[in-house]
Amino acid sequence: MSRNLVAIAAVLGMISVILGAFGAHTLKESLSAAQLVSFETGVKYQMYHALFLLLVGFSGQVSQKRKSVIGYLVVIGIILFSGSIYLLSTREITGIDIRSIAFITPIGGLLLIVSWLTLLIDAFRKNHKFA
């Protein structure tokens, strides 16, 4: 699972850079300042969690079971949180209106929080040995 997490982190990080550049160079002509800030928030959280997965993937201190759980939580959380922010902030140019299901944004955020909580629980489990 560690190799998979590192690969997923690399893909998510790469997509963050691509979307960040796209927002800064292409979307700034089409979006309002508020929409651009919102889009950039999605990019930032995606990158933060790509780095988080990289940390978890390379860590020898996190159990394989927890790595798997964290991986799923982060990927689904990014899709729901950042993905919905991307769609909400660009709806005027994409024509995709997800306002009726915008509740998925906080659900994605909650999954990202739970991924960090999962790491915290793993760090303090009874038989955990710190190097």
Side-chain angles (χ1 to χ4, degrees):
M1 185 63 188
S2 294
R3 180 183 293 174
N4 291 343
L5 277 184
V6 171
I8 291 166
V11 169
L12 291 172
M14 180 181 63
I15 292 170
S16 294
V17 172
I18 292 167
L19 289 174
F22 181 67
H25 298 292
T26 303
L27 291 179
K28 79 176 187 179
E29 302 297 325
S30 305
L31 299 181
S32 70
Q35 290 169 320
L36 195 55
V37 167
S38 181
F39 188 88
E40 290 171 352
T41 297
V43 171
K44 287 178 191 175
Y45 275 80
Q46 182 171 331
M47 181 57 84
Y48 297 154
H49 287 85
L51 294 172
F52 175 56
L53 281 184
L54 196 62
L55 170 88
V56 170
F58 279 125
S59 176
Q61 301 299 315
V62 181
S63 71
Q64 289 301 319
K65 180 179 177 182
R66 298 280 190 209
K67 284 182 182 185
S68 179
V69 169
I70 290 168
Y72 283 111
L73 289 168
V74 168
V75 169
I76 296 167
I78 286 174
I79 290 168
L80 296 179
F81 184 80
S82 292
S84 65
I85 289 175
Y86 299 146
L87 291 174
L88 288 166
S89 62
T90 61
R91 75 176 175 269
E92 291 174 9
I93 55 177
T94 64
I96 300 170
D97 189 357
I98 65 160
R99 287 180 289 185
S100 62
I101 58 167
F103 62 86
I104 65 174
T105 307
I107 292 171
L110 180 62
L111 294 175
L112 295 174
I113 292 167
V114 171
S115 71
W116 287 92
L117 178 61
T118 302
L119 179 64
L120 179 65
I121 290 168
D122 190 71
F124 289 102
R125 69 178 196 253
K126 186 175 180 180
N127 295 325
H128 193 76
K129 297 175 186 172
F130 291 97

